[in-house]
Amino acid sequence: MTATTIAVLTGLIFTAALLYASVGHAGASGYLAAMALFGIAPEVMKPTALVLNILVAAIATVKFYRAGCFSWSMFWPFALGSVPFAFIGGAISLPGYLYKPVVGAILLYAAYRLLTPSPAPSPGEPSKQIKNVPIGWALVLGISIGLLSGLTGVGGGIFLSPVLLFMDWAEARQTAGISAPFILLNSIAGLSGHFLSISTLPSAIPIWAVAAIAGGYIGADYGSRRFGNITIKRLLAAVLAIAGFKMLVF
């Protein structure tokens, strides 16, 4: 890997971490896409993305928690189902052509839905209310997201966030506050399941780690304290579109 390649990837990793952390995500899809552009070997991409994901998700978790965006009652059933299966998925290597096109299409559709304004309520009609999360559904969705997260090397926030928003289980800022620790635990579990791959981490990982931490800190600070819900939704739509494009193309 040349010095130029390392430098360009460092910039891309910083940018991905900044954008994703602003919505409570950690950037794994962005890291994977950047590495794919430069022909990094698949066996290197997955553990590298998970390591960077853990660093950024840890920062986002602290930032959004301190901003009062976290809800334990909404978080635990998703995490309970997801984490064990993220470990299982991390231990399995499957060809991406079986599920990447489907997942990419779903993420692009989710981005479209987020950018489509909801119809305004009629006069006298109450505003949309946040609903309670059914524990059974949360466990089932957590299992599915965890397995897919472990298989692909992402933390699962790109799958969890649209579900929380579309089902009216959380508003945008709270969605970010739940997604960050969800991604953190899934990334740790996925990397643990794929533990032997740590030996394949590239020599540039310390440089990329610094870039991810810097971008994650800036993005999480803005996302947790300064951006309104509309801005967060637009940023989340951008994140989903980027991830969907990556899964369809790379």
Side-chain angles (χ1 to χ4, degrees):
M1 192 182 306
T2 66
T4 301
T5 298
I6 292 174
V8 174
L9 278 172
T10 300
L12 292 174
I13 287 168
F14 171 84
T15 303
L18 190 152
L19 175 61
Y20 278 62
S22 68
V23 292
H25 291 187
S29 295
Y31 310 143
L32 291 171
M35 288 186 282
L37 283 173
F38 288 89
I40 306 298
E43 60 269 19
V44 174
M45 291 170 58
K46 184 174 178 179
T48 300
L50 287 171
V51 167
L52 299 176
N53 231 33
I54 291 170
L55 297 173
V56 176
I59 294 171
T61 295
V62 173
K63 287 287 187 180
F64 281 95
Y65 180 82
R66 288 179 175 175
C69 303
F70 178 73
S71 171
W72 172 255
S73 62
M74 272 191 282
F75 169 76
W76 76 261
F78 289 104
L80 182 63
S82 181
V83 171
F85 282 85
F87 179 87
I88 294 171
I92 299 173
S93 296
L94 293 177
Y97 67 84
L98 294 176
Y99 57 85
K100 281 188 176 181
V102 175
V103 174
I106 292 173
L107 295 180
L108 290 175
Y109 175 72
Y112 165 77
R113 285 290 303 271
L114 283 173
L115 291 174
T116 304
S118 302
S122 304
E125 182 182 346
S127 300
K128 185 180 291 186
Q129 298 295 317
I130 299 300
K131 304 173 184 176
N132 292 327
V133 178
I135 293 178
W137 275 112
L139 289 170
V140 171
L141 288 169
I143 289 171
S144 303
I145 293 172
L147 183 60
L148 188 56
S149 298
L151 288 170
T152 58
V154 300
I158 54 175
F159 308 114
L160 178 64
S161 294
V163 170
L164 293 176
L165 290 171
F166 293 159
M167 298 302 292
D168 298 324
W169 288 339
E171 49 84 27
R173 192 183 296 275
Q174 193 173 51
T175 294
I178 295 168
S179 295
F182 181 82
I183 292 167
L184 176 60
L185 292 182
N186 279 340
S187 298
I188 293 172
L191 187 61
S192 299
H194 203 48
F195 184 74
L196 294 178
S197 67
I198 293 178
S199 62
T200 64
L201 289 173
S203 59
I205 190 67
I207 300 173
W208 295 345
V210 171
I213 290 171
Y217 184 90
I218 296 170
D221 183 67
Y222 273 87
S224 63
R225 300 185 182 277
R226 304 183 187 184
F227 286 162
N229 285 347
I230 294 177
T231 303
I232 289 178
K233 282 187 177 183
R234 289 173 178 170
L235 287 171
L236 180 55
V239 168
L240 292 170
I242 292 168
F245 180 77
K246 171 257 169 185
M247 290 191 174
L248 285 171
V249 174
F250 298 107

